[in-house]
Amino acid sequence: MAQYLILIYEDEAGYAEADPGLLQEVMDAHNRFAGQVGELGGTLVGGNALRETTTATSIRGDVVTDGPFVETKEVLGGYYLIDAKDLDHALEIAKLCPARFGGVEVRPVMIFE
């Protein structure tokens, strides 16, 4: 098994404007996803949601600034770390990852021996 990071990129405005029912729907979808990883033969190693970009601090060289590094419509909102057989298996799992206001990116974790 290899490790893959599923990065969740979404438009933050969707959540800022969402009613409690929609937020619960999203949480339910993420809880379902956690179970689906195992059903597909993968392992959910970890994952977290990130606070909104207004809480970010960026560093470029020796300059520290408040806010995200770049302005984009979709921002990194969270991630899952999974064990999967190979990239195809990781993609099969990632297709189930909830990203109501955007999409996901799958990247293999680099192994240093």
Side-chain angles (χ1 to χ4, degrees):
M1 297 285 259
Q3 288 191 334
Y4 293 87
L5 196 59
I6 300 172
L7 302 162
I8 305 166
Y9 288 95
E10 297 184 282
D11 183 350
E12 285 182 310
Y15 290 103
E17 300 163 1
D19 63 52
L22 178 59
L23 295 175
Q24 186 60 53
E25 220 177 273
V26 170
M27 287 306 301
D28 291 345
H30 280 281
N31 289 332
R32 264 192 319 279
F33 174 72
Q36 291 171 320
V37 173
E39 290 169 11
L40 290 175
T43 303
L44 182 59
V45 178
N48 282 300
L50 301 175
R51 297 287 311 260
E52 58 279 349
T53 56
T54 57
T55 66
T57 303
S58 298
I59 302 170
R60 180 178 270 194
D62 61 352
V63 177
V64 178
T65 56
D66 290 335
F69 186 66
V70 295
E71 287 192 38
T72 61
K73 180 180 176 191
E74 293 177 344
V75 297
L76 179 62
Y79 65 90
Y80 288 104
L81 179 61
I82 62 167
D83 280 330
K85 294 177 228 167
D86 55 27
L87 179 58
D88 289 334
H89 187 216
L91 295 174
E92 179 184 8
I93 292 168
K95 286 178 184 177
L96 300 174
C97 182
R100 186 176 195 105
F101 301 108
V104 301
E105 175 184 347
V106 177
R107 296 184 58 186
V109 173
M110 189 177 294
I111 304 297
F112 294 96
E113 310 252 348

